[in-house]
């Protein structure tokens, strides 16, 4: 099973494309794969939490980009970096 996509729907009823990040890169300092979510401003708090958990349980570091004004914010934590535009 791919780490990036699920079958048609996963156990939470999320679409298969839910597991596709906007981008990925390898951290040059640690060699770890980092998933990039470049559109945090388009999600509500529940959606952000689900996406963060989705990447966390798969062992990926995360980088989120979000506008300064948004209805739900991503907050930095271990394994999660946030860029504000």
């Amino acid at each position: 099973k791919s780490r990036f996509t699920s079958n048609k729907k996963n156990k939470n009823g999320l679409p298969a494309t839910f597991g596709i990040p906007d981008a990925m890169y390898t951290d040059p300092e640690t060699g770890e794969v980092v998933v990039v979510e470049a559109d945090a401003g388009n999600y509500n708090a529940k959606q952000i939490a689900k996406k963060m958990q989705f990447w966390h349980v798969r062992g990926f570091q995360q980088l989120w980009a979000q506008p300064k004004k948004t209805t739900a914010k991503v907050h930095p934590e271990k394994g999660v970096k946030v860029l504000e535009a």
Side-chain angles (χ1 to χ4, degrees):
K1 183 175 176 181
S2 171
R3 291 173 62 181
F4 305 107
T5 58
S6 303
N7 291 330
K8 294 177 186 175
K9 296 277 182 178
N10 66 22
K11 65 182 179 184
N12 297 319
L14 300 169
T17 56
F18 186 82
I20 301 173
D22 294 318
M24 299 177 79
Y25 69 94
T26 303
D27 185 308
E29 293 178 14
T30 66
E32 293 180 279
V33 175
V34 179
V35 295
V36 178
E37 291 290 348
D39 50 4
N42 294 325
Y43 297 114
N44 63 39
K46 189 174 182 179
Q47 291 169 317
I48 289 170
K50 282 184 178 182
K51 276 203 160 242
M52 288 177 75
Q53 180 65 14
F54 184 86
W55 295 123
H56 174 74
V57 299
R58 285 160 179 78
F60 289 108
Q61 300 294 310
Q62 303 170 48
L63 175 64
W64 287 75
Q66 67 185 353
K68 287 184 181 182
K69 288 188 176 185
T70 184
T71 56
K73 292 251 183 204
V74 177
H75 299 284
E77 57 184 63
K78 185 178 182 185
V80 178
K81 294 181 182 176
V82 180
L83 299 175
E84 275 197 353

